[in-house]
């Protein structure tokens, strides 16, 4: 039986993953409305991936004898100045998610819940990749600067930037 403290921490992570999905969906919609088809497709896929992370947690909690709580969500930011702001927010958000995952991993060790600890190792690895990808995209945006031709190529090529799995 899984301890309540771990169920609570995992349910908080369910909320974080759902919130990430909503944030990336709002970003995708913003990009789509500005003709950034490649960026919007990338972010729509990223939103779907975050939802799958949430579902994986929901199923795990329930399989371990807990009850997953499906949270209500706050409306995410809807308007952005530019793509640099969008991907800065993505990186900041992924760093926060990594910190939350690490806190849960620490709790599983304190509680000697090695099954949940093992389960969370997938999330630890996934977060390394998420942060890496956001940094790569920000580096490319810095190189492009205000060059419209570069932005056109970036929008066209973003799908090749190791898109979400």
């Amino acid at each position: 039986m899984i301890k309540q403290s771990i169920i609570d921490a995992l349910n908080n992570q369910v909320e974080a993953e759902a919130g990430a999905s909503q944030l990336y969906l709002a970003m995708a919609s913003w990009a789509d409305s500005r003709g950034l088809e490649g960026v919007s497709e990338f972010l729509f896929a990223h939103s779907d991936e975050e939802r799958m992370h949430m579902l994986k947690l929901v199923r795990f909690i329930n399989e371990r004898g807990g009850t997953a709580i499906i949270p209500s969500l706050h409306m995410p930011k809807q308007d952005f100045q530019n793509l640099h702001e969008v991907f800065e927010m993505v990186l900041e958000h992924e760093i926060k998610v990594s910190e939350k995952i690490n806190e849960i991993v620490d709790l599983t060790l304190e509680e000697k819940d090695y099954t949940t600890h093992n389960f969370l190792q997938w999330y630890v690895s996934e977060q390394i990749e998420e942060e890496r990808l956001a940094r790569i995209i920000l580096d490319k945006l810095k190189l492009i600067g205000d060059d419209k031709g570069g932005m056109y190529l970036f929008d066209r090529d973003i799908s090749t930037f190791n898109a979400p799995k």
Side-chain angles (χ1 to χ4, degrees):
M1 186 69 138
I2 190 169
K3 292 185 179 179
Q4 189 61 48
S5 60
I6 293 178
I7 293 170
D8 292 343
L10 291 174
N11 274 320
N12 286 337
Q13 192 59 35
V14 166
E15 184 174 8
E17 299 291 346
S21 179
Q22 289 292 97
L23 176 62
Y24 299 153
L25 184 60
M27 290 173 169
S29 178
W30 175 86
D32 195 37
S33 71
R34 280 151 183 82
L36 297 165
E37 185 177 333
V39 171
S40 67
E41 288 303 316
F42 178 86
L43 289 166
F44 280 130
H46 210 71
S47 174
D48 288 345
E49 181 185 15
E50 297 300 327
R51 184 173 182 279
M52 294 310 297
H53 295 173
M54 179 194 71
L55 291 174
K56 188 173 183 168
L57 284 163
V58 166
R59 289 184 179 122
F60 180 80
I61 294 166
N62 291 336
E63 287 170 1
R64 292 286 317 277
T67 301
I69 306 299
I70 308 306
S72 62
L73 300 174
H74 301 286
M75 184 176 7
K77 182 174 179 165
Q78 301 290 313
D79 195 32
F80 307 92
Q81 292 179 5
N82 52 43
L83 285 181
H84 187 80
E85 179 188 9
V86 166
F87 285 102
E88 276 289 341
M89 286 183 69
V90 168
L91 178 59
E92 289 170 12
H93 188 78
E94 293 299 343
I95 289 170
K96 286 179 189 172
V97 170
S98 295
E99 291 169 354
K100 289 177 66 92
I101 294 289
N102 288 337
E103 289 171 7
I104 301 169
V105 168
D106 189 47
L107 178 63
T108 64
L109 292 174
E110 288 174 23
E111 297 286 354
K112 298 184 181 190
D113 182 346
Y114 303 113
T115 302
T116 305
H117 180 269
N118 186 52
F119 169 78
L120 289 172
Q121 293 312 300
W122 180 87
Y123 286 89
V124 171
S125 296
E126 182 69 11
Q127 284 309 120
I128 292 168
E129 179 59 25
E130 299 283 357
E131 288 183 34
R132 181 191 75 81
L133 183 56
R135 284 187 178 96
I136 287 170
I137 291 170
L138 281 169
D139 287 345
K140 292 192 183 304
L141 288 171
K142 286 175 189 168
L143 286 172
I144 293 166
D146 293 330
D147 180 57
K148 291 186 188 252
M151 191 58 67
Y152 173 82
L153 294 173
F154 173 84
D155 184 54
R156 184 192 72 187
D157 295 343
I158 190 169
S159 63
T160 66
F161 297 173
N162 196 11
K165 307 170 201 76

